[in-house]
Amino acid sequence: MARGGQGLARVAVVVRAGAAPLWWTGVVAAGIGAVPQGLTGRRIGVLAGAALFLLGAAGVALARRGRYTALARGAARAGKYDVLQDRAVTVRNWRRGHRWWLLLGGAAALGSAFAVPVAGGLLLAGLGAGLRLKAAWLGRLERAGQTLLWVRVDWLGRYGGRPAGKAVRGLRGTGVAAGDAAPGGARRRTAALV
């Protein structure tokens, strides 16, 4: 980057990037997984899947909140020469970096349907829902501090994930109008002219 600037990606966008692929992979796997009777039968599989969905969603949504809060509190102001990465680029990088994990997760969920129908797919869907909940929580954190949180792209690693991992030594902050993603990582809606 010119004059010492860094490439920055939105923390909430990185977190949210995996929500839709995990959700849809899980929903498809659960739907297909409802076909075989499995070893336990469909009723037990659905009940086990519902419990796994809730556990997965809660676990992902609540994991590392203390770390995110500490990093947000210590966020430094983004520099003049820092480059803010587009939301679409951040999402694409995460999905490219995790595509094989998504395929393996979907295959494992389908394979598990022959033992416990539906359960593996609902677990994947729960993980996706948990990421969405975590991104929403980050959005509330950003709104409360009136600061969008950014992480250096080179600290995200080769898979484009882990915005609160060991490699991340600090976050950067900008005003809430910066970038093309709203607080929480959703696509920013253009304001209607009155």
Side-chain angles (χ1 to χ4, degrees), residues 15-116:
V15 169
R16 190 182 169 114
L22 280 168
W23 170 264
W24 288 112
T25 302
V27 167
V28 169
I32 295 171
V35 175
Q37 273 286 15
L39 298 175
T40 62
R42 283 190 200 100
R43 184 169 178 269
I44 291 174
V46 169
L47 291 174
L52 288 172
F53 179 91
L54 293 173
L55 287 172
V60 169
L62 298 174
R64 303 191 68 121
R65 279 196 178 192
R67 170 91 168 132
Y68 282 101
T69 305
L71 287 169
R73 252 187 266 127
R77 191 84 180 144
K80 180 179 180 181
Y81 297 105
D82 287 335
V83 178
L84 306 180
Q85 190 174 74
D86 288 343
R87 180 185 184 277
V89 175
T90 304
V91 170
R92 186 175 64 237
N93 289 344
W94 189 97
R95 291 182 181 171
R96 275 187 187 160
H98 293 83
R99 65 184 178 271
W100 295 112
W101 291 109
L102 289 168
L103 285 170
L104 284 171
L110 287 173
S112 71
F114 292 100
V116 186

Coordinates of all heavy atoms in Angstrom, one line a residue, residues 15-116:
V15 N -17.2 -12.1 9.4 CA -18.0 -13.0 10.2 C -19.3 -13.5 9.5 O -19.6 -14.6 9.5 CB -18.4 -12.3 11.6 CG1 -19.5 -13.1 12.3 CG2 -17.2 -12.1 12.4
R16 N -19.9 -12.5 8.8 CA -21.2 -12.8 8.1 C -21.0 -13.6 6.8 O -22.0 -14.2 6.4 CB -21.9 -11.5 7.8 CG -23.3 -11.5 7.3 CD -23.8 -10.1 7.1 NE -25.0 -10.2 6.3 CZ -26.2 -9.7 6.8 NH1 -26.2 -9.3 8.1 NH2 -27.3 -9.8 6.1
A17 N -19.8 -13.6 6.3 CA -19.6 -14.2 5.0 C -19.9 -15.7 4.9 O -20.4 -16.2 3.9 CB -18.1 -14.0 4.6
G18 N -19.7 -16.4 6.0 CA -20.0 -17.8 6.0 C -21.5 -18.2 6.4 O -21.9 -19.3 6.3
A19 N -22.3 -17.2 6.8 CA -23.6 -17.5 7.3 C -24.5 -18.1 6.2 O -25.1 -19.2 6.4 CB -24.3 -16.2 7.8
A20 N -24.6 -17.5 5.0 CA -25.5 -18.0 4.0 C -25.0 -19.3 3.4 O -25.8 -20.2 3.3 CB -25.6 -16.9 2.9
P21 N -23.7 -19.5 3.1 CA -23.3 -20.8 2.6 C -23.5 -22.0 3.6 O -24.0 -23.0 3.2 CB -21.8 -20.7 2.3 CG -21.5 -19.2 2.3 CD -22.6 -18.6 3.1
L22 N -23.3 -21.7 4.9 CA -23.5 -22.8 5.9 C -25.0 -23.0 6.0 O -25.4 -24.2 6.1 CB -22.9 -22.3 7.2 CG -21.4 -22.6 7.4 CD1 -20.9 -21.9 8.6 CD2 -21.1 -24.0 7.4
W23 N -25.8 -22.0 6.1 CA -27.2 -22.1 6.2 C -27.8 -22.9 5.1 O -28.5 -23.9 5.3 CB -27.9 -20.7 6.3 CG -29.4 -20.8 6.2 CD1 -30.2 -20.6 5.1 CD2 -30.3 -21.1 7.3 NE1 -31.5 -20.8 5.4 CE2 -31.6 -21.0 6.7 CE3 -30.1 -21.3 8.6 CZ2 -32.7 -21.3 7.5 CZ3 -31.3 -21.5 9.4 CH2 -32.5 -21.5 8.9
W24 N -27.5 -22.5 3.8 CA -28.1 -23.2 2.7 C -27.6 -24.6 2.5 O -28.3 -25.5 2.1 CB -27.9 -22.4 1.4 CG -28.9 -21.2 1.4 CD1 -28.5 -19.9 1.5 CD2 -30.3 -21.2 1.4 NE1 -29.6 -19.1 1.6 CE2 -30.7 -19.9 1.5 CE3 -31.2 -22.2 1.4 CZ2 -32.1 -19.5 1.5 CZ3 -32.6 -21.9 1.4 CH2 -33.0 -20.6 1.5
T25 N -26.3 -24.8 2.8 CA -25.7 -26.2 2.7 C -26.4 -27.1 3.7 O -26.8 -28.2 3.4 CB -24.2 -26.2 3.0 OG1 -23.6 -25.3 2.0 CG2 -23.6 -27.6 2.9
G26 N -26.7 -26.5 4.9 CA -27.4 -27.3 6.0 C -28.8 -27.6 5.6 O -29.3 -28.7 5.8
V27 N -29.5 -26.6 5.1 CA -30.9 -26.8 4.7 C -31.1 -27.8 3.6 O -31.9 -28.7 3.7 CB -31.6 -25.4 4.3 CG1 -32.9 -25.7 3.6 CG2 -31.7 -24.5 5.5
V28 N -30.2 -27.8 2.6 CA -30.3 -28.8 1.5 C -29.9 -30.2 2.1 O -30.6 -31.2 1.8 CB -29.3 -28.4 0.4 CG1 -29.1 -29.5 -0.6 CG2 -29.8 -27.1 -0.3
A29 N -28.9 -30.2 2.9 CA -28.4 -31.5 3.5 C -29.5 -32.1 4.4 O -29.8 -33.3 4.4 CB -27.1 -31.4 4.3
A30 N -30.2 -31.2 5.2 CA -31.3 -31.7 6.0 C -32.5 -32.2 5.2 O -33.1 -33.2 5.5 CB -31.7 -30.6 7.0
G31 N -32.8 -31.5 4.1 CA -33.9 -31.9 3.3 C -33.6 -33.3 2.6 O -34.5 -34.2 2.6
I32 N -32.4 -33.4 2.1 CA -32.0 -34.7 1.5 C -31.9 -35.8 2.6 O -32.3 -36.9 2.4 CB -30.7 -34.6 0.7 CG1 -31.0 -33.6 -0.5 CG2 -30.3 -35.9 0.2 CD1 -29.7 -33.2 -1.3
G33 N -31.4 -35.4 3.7 CA -31.2 -36.3 4.8 C -32.5 -36.8 5.5 O -32.4 -37.7 6.3
A34 N -33.6 -36.2 5.1 CA -34.9 -36.7 5.6 C -35.4 -37.9 4.9 O -36.3 -38.6 5.3 CB -35.9 -35.6 5.5
V35 N -34.8 -38.2 3.7 CA -35.2 -39.3 2.9 C -34.9 -40.7 3.5 O -35.8 -41.5 3.7 CB -34.6 -39.2 1.5 CG1 -35.0 -40.5 0.6 CG2 -35.1 -38.0 0.8
P36 N -33.7 -41.0 3.9 CA -33.4 -42.3 4.6 C -34.0 -42.4 6.0 O -34.1 -41.4 6.7 CB -31.9 -42.4 4.6 CG -31.4 -41.0 4.5 CD -32.4 -40.2 3.8
Q37 N -34.4 -43.6 6.4 CA -34.9 -43.8 7.8 C -33.8 -43.7 8.8 O -34.0 -43.3 9.9 CB -35.5 -45.2 7.9 CG -37.0 -45.2 7.5 CD -37.9 -44.6 8.6 OE1 -37.5 -43.9 9.5 NE2 -39.1 -44.9 8.4
G38 N -32.5 -44.1 8.4 CA -31.4 -44.0 9.3 C -31.5 -45.1 10.4 O -32.5 -45.9 10.4
L39 N -30.6 -45.1 11.2 CA -30.6 -46.1 12.3 C -31.5 -45.7 13.4 O -32.1 -46.5 14.1 CB -29.2 -46.2 12.9 CG -28.1 -46.8 11.9 CD1 -26.7 -46.7 12.6 CD2 -28.4 -48.2 11.4
T40 N -31.7 -44.4 13.6 CA -32.5 -43.9 14.7 C -34.0 -43.6 14.3 O -34.8 -43.5 15.2 CB -31.9 -42.6 15.3 OG1 -32.0 -41.6 14.3 CG2 -30.5 -42.8 15.8
G41 N -34.2 -43.5 13.1 CA -35.6 -43.1 12.6 C -35.6 -41.6 12.5 O -34.9 -40.9 13.1
R42 N -36.6 -41.1 11.6 CA -36.7 -39.7 11.3 C -37.0 -38.8 12.5 O -36.5 -37.8 12.7 CB -37.7 -39.5 10.2 CG -37.2 -39.8 8.8 CD -38.1 -39.4 7.7 NE -37.8 -40.2 6.5 CZ -38.5 -41.2 6.1 NH1 -39.5 -41.6 6.8 NH2 -38.1 -41.9 5.1
R43 N -37.9 -39.3 13.3 CA -38.4 -38.5 14.5 C -37.3 -38.2 15.4 O -37.1 -37.0 15.8 CB -39.5 -39.3 15.2 CG -40.1 -38.5 16.4 CD -41.4 -39.2 16.9 NE -41.9 -38.4 18.0 CZ -41.6 -38.7 19.2 NH1 -40.8 -39.6 19.6 NH2 -42.2 -37.9 20.2
I44 N -36.5 -39.2 15.8 CA -35.4 -38.9 16.7 C -34.3 -38.1 16.0 O -33.7 -37.2 16.6 CB -34.8 -40.3 17.2 CG1 -35.8 -40.9 18.1 CG2 -33.4 -40.1 17.9 CD1 -35.4 -42.3 18.6
G45 N -34.1 -38.3 14.7 CA -33.2 -37.5 13.9 C -33.5 -36.0 13.9 O -32.7 -35.2 14.1
V46 N -34.8 -35.7 13.7 CA -35.3 -34.3 13.7 C -35.1 -33.7 15.1 O -34.7 -32.6 15.2 CB -36.7 -34.3 13.2 CG1 -37.3 -32.9 13.4 CG2 -36.8 -34.6 11.7
L47 N -35.5 -34.4 16.1 CA -35.3 -33.9 17.5 C -33.8 -33.6 17.8 O -33.5 -32.6 18.4 CB -36.0 -34.8 18.5 CG -37.5 -34.9 18.5 CD1 -38.0 -36.0 19.4 CD2 -38.1 -33.6 18.8
A48 N -33.0 -34.6 17.4 CA -31.6 -34.4 17.7 C -31.0 -33.3 16.9 O -30.2 -32.5 17.3 CB -30.8 -35.7 17.3
G49 N -31.5 -33.2 15.6 CA -31.1 -32.0 14.7 C -31.5 -30.7 15.3 O -30.8 -29.7 15.2
A50 N -32.7 -30.6 15.8 CA -33.2 -29.3 16.4 C -32.3 -28.9 17.6 O -31.9 -27.8 17.8 CB -34.6 -29.5 16.9
A51 N -32.0 -29.9 18.4 CA -31.1 -29.6 19.6 C -29.7 -29.2 19.1 O -29.1 -28.2 19.6 CB -30.9 -30.9 20.5
L52 N -29.2 -29.9 18.1 CA -27.9 -29.5 17.5 C -27.9 -28.1 16.9 O -27.0 -27.3 16.9 CB -27.4 -30.5 16.5 CG -26.9 -31.9 17.0 CD1 -26.7 -32.9 15.9 CD2 -25.7 -31.7 17.9
F53 N -29.0 -27.8 16.2 CA -29.2 -26.5 15.6 C -29.1 -25.4 16.7 O -28.3 -24.4 16.5 CB -30.6 -26.4 14.9 CG -30.9 -25.1 14.3 CD1 -30.5 -24.8 13.0 CD2 -31.5 -24.1 15.0 CE1 -30.8 -23.6 12.4 CE2 -31.7 -22.8 14.5 CZ -31.4 -22.6 13.2
L54 N -29.8 -25.6 17.8 CA -29.8 -24.6 18.9 C -28.4 -24.5 19.5 O -27.9 -23.4 19.8 CB -30.9 -24.9 19.9 CG -32.3 -24.8 19.4 CD1 -33.3 -25.3 20.5 CD2 -32.6 -23.3 19.0
L55 N -27.8 -25.6 19.8 CA -26.5 -25.6 20.4 C -25.4 -25.0 19.4 O -24.6 -24.2 19.9 CB -26.0 -27.0 20.7 CG -26.7 -27.7 21.9 CD1 -26.3 -29.2 22.0 CD2 -26.3 -27.0 23.2
G56 N -25.5 -25.3 18.2 CA -24.5 -24.8 17.2 C -24.7 -23.3 17.1 O -23.7 -22.5 17.1
A57 N -26.0 -22.8 16.9 CA -26.2 -21.4 16.8 C -25.8 -20.6 18.0 O -25.1 -19.6 17.9 CB -27.7 -21.1 16.5
A58 N -26.1 -21.1 19.2 CA -25.7 -20.4 20.4 C -24.2 -20.4 20.6 O -23.6 -19.4 21.0 CB -26.4 -21.1 21.6
G59 N -23.6 -21.6 20.4 CA -22.1 -21.7 20.5 C -21.4 -20.7 19.6 O -20.5 -20.0 20.1
V60 N -21.7 -20.6 18.4 CA -21.1 -19.7 17.4 C -21.4 -18.3 17.8 O -20.5 -17.4 17.7 CB -21.5 -20.1 16.0 CG1 -21.0 -19.0 15.0 CG2 -20.9 -21.4 15.6
A61 N -22.6 -18.0 18.1 CA -23.0 -16.6 18.4 C -22.3 -16.0 19.6 O -22.0 -14.9 19.7 CB -24.5 -16.5 18.5
L62 N -22.1 -16.9 20.6 CA -21.5 -16.4 21.9 C -20.0 -16.6 22.0 O -19.3 -16.0 22.8 CB -22.1 -17.2 23.0 CG -23.6 -17.0 23.2 CD1 -24.2 -17.9 24.3 CD2 -24.0 -15.5 23.5
A63 N -19.4 -17.4 21.0 CA -17.9 -17.6 21.1 C -17.1 -16.4 20.9 O -17.4 -15.5 20.0 CB -17.6 -18.7 20.1
R64 N -16.1 -16.2 21.7 CA -15.1 -15.1 21.6 C -15.6 -13.7 21.7 O -15.0 -12.8 21.2 CB -14.3 -15.3 20.3 CG -13.6 -16.6 20.2 CD -12.7 -16.7 19.1 NE -11.5 -15.8 19.4 CZ -10.3 -16.2 19.5 NH1 -10.0 -17.5 19.3 NH2 -9.3 -15.4 19.7
R65 N -16.8 -13.5 22.3 CA -17.3 -12.2 22.5 C -16.4 -11.3 23.3 O -16.3 -10.1 23.0 CB -18.7 -12.2 23.1 CG -19.8 -12.6 22.1 CD -21.2 -12.2 22.7 NE -22.2 -12.5 21.7 CZ -23.4 -12.1 21.8 NH1 -23.8 -11.4 22.8 NH2 -24.3 -12.4 20.8
G66 N -15.8 -11.8 24.3 CA -14.9 -11.0 25.1 C -13.7 -10.5 24.3 O -13.3 -9.4 24.4
R67 N -13.2 -11.4 23.4 CA -12.1 -11.0 22.5 C -12.5 -9.9 21.6 O -11.8 -8.9 21.4 CB -11.6 -12.2 21.8 CG -10.6 -11.9 20.6 CD -9.2 -12.0 21.1 NE -8.3 -12.0 20.0 CZ -7.2 -11.2 19.9 NH1 -6.9 -10.4 20.9 NH2 -6.4 -11.2 18.9
Y68 N -13.7 -10.0 20.9 CA -14.2 -9.0 20.0 C -14.4 -7.7 20.8 O -14.0 -6.6 20.2 CB -15.5 -9.4 19.4 CG -15.4 -10.4 18.3 CD1 -15.6 -11.8 18.4 CD2 -15.0 -10.0 17.0 CE1 -15.5 -12.7 17.4 CE2 -14.9 -10.9 15.9 CZ -15.1 -12.2 16.1 OH -15.0 -13.1 15.1
T69 N -14.9 -7.7 22.0 CA -15.2 -6.5 22.7 C -13.9 -5.8 23.1 O -13.8 -4.6 23.0 CB -16.0 -6.8 24.0 OG1 -17.2 -7.5 23.6 CG2 -16.4 -5.6 24.8
A70 N -12.9 -6.6 23.5 CA -11.6 -6.0 23.9 C -10.9 -5.4 22.6 O -10.4 -4.3 22.7 CB -10.7 -7.1 24.5
L71 N -11.0 -6.1 21.5 CA -10.4 -5.5 20.3 C -11.1 -4.3 19.9 O -10.5 -3.3 19.4 CB -10.4 -6.6 19.2 CG -9.4 -7.7 19.2 CD1 -9.8 -8.8 18.2 CD2 -8.0 -7.2 19.1
A72 N -12.5 -4.2 20.0 CA -13.2 -3.1 19.6 C -12.9 -1.9 20.5 O -12.8 -0.7 20.0 CB -14.7 -3.4 19.7
R73 N -12.7 -2.1 21.8 CA -12.4 -1.1 22.7 C -11.0 -0.4 22.4 O -10.8 0.8 22.6 CB -12.3 -1.6 24.2 CG -13.5 -1.1 25.0 CD -13.4 -1.5 26.4 NE -14.1 -2.7 26.6 CZ -13.6 -3.8 27.2 NH1 -12.4 -3.8 27.7 NH2 -14.4 -4.9 27.3
G74 N -10.1 -1.3 21.9 CA -8.7 -0.8 21.6 C -8.5 -0.4 20.2 O -7.4 -0.2 19.7
A75 N -9.6 -0.3 19.4 CA -9.5 0.0 18.0 C -8.9 1.4 17.7 O -9.3 2.4 18.3 CB -10.8 -0.1 17.3
A76 N -7.8 1.4 16.9 CA -7.2 2.7 16.5 C -7.9 3.3 15.3 O -8.5 2.5 14.5 CB -5.7 2.4 16.2
R77 N -7.8 4.6 15.1 CA -8.4 5.2 14.0 C -7.7 4.8 12.7 O -6.4 4.7 12.7 CB -8.3 6.7 14.2 CG -9.1 7.5 13.2 CD -10.5 7.7 13.7 NE -11.3 8.4 12.8 CZ -12.5 8.2 12.5 NH1 -13.1 7.2 13.1 NH2 -13.2 8.9 11.6
A78 N -8.4 4.5 11.7 CA -7.8 4.1 10.4 C -7.0 5.2 9.8 O -7.4 6.4 10.0 CB -8.9 3.6 9.4
G79 N -5.9 4.9 9.2 CA -5.1 6.0 8.6 C -5.5 6.5 7.3 O -6.4 5.9 6.6
K80 N -5.0 7.6 6.9 CA -5.4 8.3 5.7 C -5.1 7.4 4.5 O -5.8 7.5 3.5 CB -4.6 9.6 5.6 CG -4.8 10.4 4.4 CD -4.0 11.7 4.5 CE -4.3 12.6 3.2 NZ -3.5 13.8 3.2
Y81 N -4.1 6.6 4.5 CA -3.7 5.8 3.3 C -4.2 4.4 3.4 O -3.8 3.6 2.6 CB -2.2 5.9 3.1 CG -1.7 7.3 2.8 CD1 -1.1 8.1 3.8 CD2 -2.0 7.9 1.6 CE1 -0.7 9.4 3.6 CE2 -1.6 9.2 1.3 CZ -0.9 9.9 2.3 OH -0.5 11.2 2.0
D82 N -4.9 4.0 4.5 CA -5.5 2.7 4.5 C -6.5 2.5 3.4 O -7.3 3.5 3.1 CB -6.1 2.5 5.9 CG -5.1 2.3 7.0 OD1 -4.0 1.9 6.7 OD2 -5.4 2.5 8.2
V83 N -6.6 1.3 2.9 CA -7.5 1.0 1.8 C -8.6 0.1 2.3 O -8.4 -1.0 2.8 CB -6.8 0.4 0.6 CG1 -7.8 0.0 -0.5 CG2 -5.7 1.2 0.1
L84 N -9.9 0.6 2.2 CA -11.0 -0.2 2.7 C -11.5 -1.2 1.6 O -11.9 -0.8 0.5 CB -12.2 0.8 3.1 CG -11.8 1.9 4.1 CD1 -13.0 2.7 4.4 CD2 -11.2 1.3 5.3
Q85 N -11.5 -2.4 2.0 CA -11.9 -3.5 1.0 C -13.4 -3.5 0.8 O -14.1 -3.4 1.8 CB -11.3 -4.8 1.5 CG -11.5 -6.0 0.5 CD -10.8 -7.2 1.1 OE1 -11.3 -7.9 1.9 NE2 -9.6 -7.5 0.6
D86 N -13.8 -3.7 -0.4 CA -15.2 -3.8 -0.7 C -15.8 -5.0 0.0 O -15.2 -6.1 0.1 CB -15.5 -3.9 -2.2 CG -15.2 -2.6 -2.9 OD1 -15.2 -1.5 -2.3 OD2 -15.1 -2.6 -4.1
R87 N -17.1 -4.9 0.3 CA -17.8 -6.0 1.0 C -17.8 -7.3 0.1 O -17.5 -8.4 0.6 CB -19.3 -5.6 1.2 CG -20.1 -6.7 1.8 CD -21.6 -6.2 1.9 NE -22.4 -7.1 2.6 CZ -22.9 -8.2 2.1 NH1 -22.7 -8.5 0.8 NH2 -23.6 -9.1 2.8
A88 N -18.0 -7.1 -1.2 CA -18.1 -8.3 -2.1 C -16.7 -9.0 -2.2 O -16.7 -10.2 -2.3 CB -18.5 -7.8 -3.5
V89 N -15.6 -8.2 -2.1 CA -14.3 -8.8 -2.2 C -14.0 -9.7 -0.9 O -13.5 -10.8 -0.9 CB -13.2 -7.8 -2.4 CG1 -11.8 -8.4 -2.3 CG2 -13.4 -7.0 -3.7
T90 N -14.4 -9.1 0.2 CA -14.2 -9.8 1.5 C -15.0 -11.1 1.5 O -14.5 -12.2 1.9 CB -14.7 -8.9 2.7 OG1 -14.0 -7.7 2.6 CG2 -14.4 -9.6 4.0
V91 N -16.3 -11.0 1.1 CA -17.1 -12.2 1.1 C -16.6 -13.3 0.1 O -16.5 -14.5 0.4 CB -18.6 -11.8 0.6 CG1 -19.4 -13.1 0.4 CG2 -19.2 -11.0 1.7
R92 N -16.1 -12.8 -1.1 CA -15.6 -13.8 -2.1 C -14.3 -14.4 -1.5 O -14.1 -15.6 -1.7 CB -15.3 -13.0 -3.4 CG -14.8 -13.9 -4.5 CD -14.6 -13.2 -5.8 NE -13.6 -12.2 -5.7 CZ -13.7 -10.9 -6.0 NH1 -14.9 -10.4 -6.3 NH2 -12.7 -10.1 -5.9
N93 N -13.4 -13.7 -0.9 CA -12.2 -14.2 -0.3 C -12.5 -15.3 0.8 O -11.9 -16.4 0.8 CB -11.3 -13.2 0.3 CG -10.7 -12.3 -0.7 OD1 -10.7 -12.6 -1.9 ND2 -10.2 -11.1 -0.3
W94 N -13.5 -15.0 1.6 CA -13.9 -16.0 2.7 C -14.4 -17.3 2.0 O -14.0 -18.4 2.4 CB -14.9 -15.4 3.6 CG -15.2 -16.3 4.8 CD1 -14.6 -16.2 6.0 CD2 -16.0 -17.5 4.9 NE1 -15.0 -17.2 6.9 CE2 -15.9 -18.0 6.2 CE3 -16.8 -18.1 4.0 CZ2 -16.6 -19.1 6.6 CZ3 -17.5 -19.3 4.4 CH2 -17.4 -19.8 5.7
R95 N -15.3 -17.1 1.1 CA -16.0 -18.3 0.4 C -15.0 -19.1 -0.4 O -15.1 -20.3 -0.4 CB -17.2 -17.8 -0.4 CG -18.3 -17.3 0.6 CD -19.5 -16.9 -0.1 NE -20.5 -16.4 0.8 CZ -21.6 -15.8 0.5 NH1 -21.9 -15.6 -0.7 NH2 -22.4 -15.3 1.5
R96 N -14.0 -18.4 -1.0 CA -13.0 -19.2 -1.8 C -12.1 -19.9 -0.8 O -11.8 -21.1 -1.1 CB -12.2 -18.2 -2.6 CG -12.7 -17.9 -3.9 CD -11.8 -17.1 -4.8 NE -12.4 -16.6 -6.0 CZ -11.9 -15.6 -6.7 NH1 -10.9 -15.0 -6.3 NH2 -12.6 -15.3 -7.8
G97 N -11.8 -19.3 0.3 CA -10.9 -19.9 1.2 C -11.5 -21.1 2.0 O -10.8 -22.0 2.5
H98 N -12.8 -21.1 2.1 CA -13.5 -22.2 2.8 C -14.4 -23.1 2.0 O -15.1 -23.9 2.5 CB -14.4 -21.5 3.9 CG -13.7 -20.8 5.0 ND1 -13.2 -19.5 4.8 CD2 -13.3 -21.2 6.2 CE1 -12.6 -19.1 5.9 NE2 -12.6 -20.1 6.8
R99 N -14.2 -23.0 0.7 CA -15.1 -23.8 -0.2 C -15.0 -25.3 0.0 O -16.0 -26.1 0.0 CB -14.9 -23.5 -1.7 CG -13.6 -23.8 -2.2 CD -13.4 -23.3 -3.7 NE -12.1 -23.6 -4.2 CZ -11.1 -22.7 -4.1 NH1 -11.3 -21.6 -3.5 NH2 -9.9 -23.1 -4.7
W100 N -13.7 -25.8 0.3 CA -13.6 -27.2 0.5 C -14.1 -27.7 1.8 O -14.7 -28.8 2.0 CB -12.1 -27.6 0.4 CG -11.6 -27.4 -1.0 CD1 -10.7 -26.5 -1.4 CD2 -12.0 -28.1 -2.2 NE1 -10.5 -26.6 -2.8 CE2 -11.3 -27.6 -3.3 CE3 -12.9 -29.1 -2.4 CZ2 -11.5 -28.0 -4.6 CZ3 -13.1 -29.6 -3.7 CH2 -12.4 -29.1 -4.8
W101 N -14.0 -26.8 2.9 CA -14.6 -27.1 4.1 C -16.1 -27.2 4.0 O -16.8 -28.0 4.7 CB -14.2 -26.1 5.2 CG -12.8 -26.1 5.5 CD1 -11.8 -25.2 5.2 CD2 -12.1 -27.2 6.2 NE1 -10.6 -25.6 5.7 CE2 -10.7 -26.8 6.3 CE3 -12.5 -28.4 6.8 CZ2 -9.8 -27.6 6.9 CZ3 -11.6 -29.2 7.5 CH2 -10.2 -28.8 7.5
L102 N -16.7 -26.3 3.2 CA -18.2 -26.3 3.0 C -18.6 -27.6 2.3 O -19.6 -28.2 2.7 CB -18.6 -25.1 2.2 CG -18.5 -23.7 2.9 CD1 -18.7 -22.6 2.0 CD2 -19.6 -23.6 4.0
L103 N -17.8 -28.0 1.3 CA -18.2 -29.2 0.6 C -18.0 -30.4 1.5 O -18.9 -31.3 1.5 CB -17.3 -29.4 -0.6 CG -17.6 -28.5 -1.8 CD1 -16.5 -28.6 -2.9 CD2 -18.9 -28.9 -2.4
L104 N -16.9 -30.5 2.3 CA -16.8 -31.6 3.2 C -17.9 -31.6 4.3 O -18.3 -32.7 4.7 CB -15.4 -31.5 3.9 CG -14.2 -31.9 3.1 CD1 -12.9 -31.5 3.8 CD2 -14.2 -33.4 2.8
G105 N -18.2 -30.4 4.8 CA -19.3 -30.4 5.8 C -20.6 -30.9 5.2 O -21.4 -31.6 5.9
G106 N -20.9 -30.4 4.0 CA -22.2 -30.9 3.4 C -22.1 -32.4 3.1 O -23.2 -33.1 3.4
A107 N -21.0 -32.9 2.7 CA -20.9 -34.4 2.5 C -21.0 -35.2 3.8 O -21.7 -36.2 3.8 CB -19.5 -34.7 1.8
A108 N -20.4 -34.6 4.8 CA -20.5 -35.3 6.2 C -21.9 -35.3 6.7 O -22.4 -36.2 7.2 CB -19.6 -34.6 7.2
A109 N -22.6 -34.1 6.4 CA -24.0 -34.0 6.9 C -24.9 -35.0 6.1 O -25.8 -35.7 6.7 CB -24.5 -32.6 6.7
L110 N -24.7 -35.2 4.8 CA -25.4 -36.2 4.0 C -25.1 -37.6 4.5 O -26.0 -38.4 4.6 CB -25.1 -36.0 2.5 CG -25.7 -34.7 1.9 CD1 -25.2 -34.6 0.5 CD2 -27.3 -34.8 1.9
G111 N -23.8 -37.8 4.7 CA -23.4 -39.2 5.1 C -24.0 -39.6 6.5 O -24.4 -40.7 6.7
S112 N -24.1 -38.6 7.4 CA -24.6 -38.8 8.7 C -26.1 -39.1 8.7 O -26.6 -39.7 9.7 CB -24.3 -37.7 9.7 OG -25.1 -36.6 9.3
A113 N -26.8 -38.8 7.6 CA -28.2 -39.0 7.5 C -28.6 -40.5 7.5 O -29.7 -40.9 7.9 CB -28.8 -38.3 6.3
F114 N -27.6 -41.3 7.2 CA -27.9 -42.8 7.2 C -27.8 -43.3 8.6 O -28.3 -44.4 8.8 CB -26.9 -43.5 6.3 CG -27.1 -43.2 4.8 CD1 -26.3 -42.3 4.2 CD2 -28.2 -43.8 4.1 CE1 -26.6 -41.9 2.8 CE2 -28.4 -43.5 2.8 CZ -27.6 -42.5 2.1
A115 N -27.3 -42.6 9.5 CA -27.3 -42.9 10.9 C -28.4 -42.2 11.7 O -29.3 -42.7 12.3 CB -25.9 -42.7 11.6
V116 N -28.3 -40.8 11.6 CA -29.3 -39.9 12.3 C -29.8 -39.0 11.2 O -29.2 -37.9 10.9 CB -28.6 -39.2 13.4 CG1 -29.7 -38.4 14.2 CG2 -27.8 -40.1 14.3

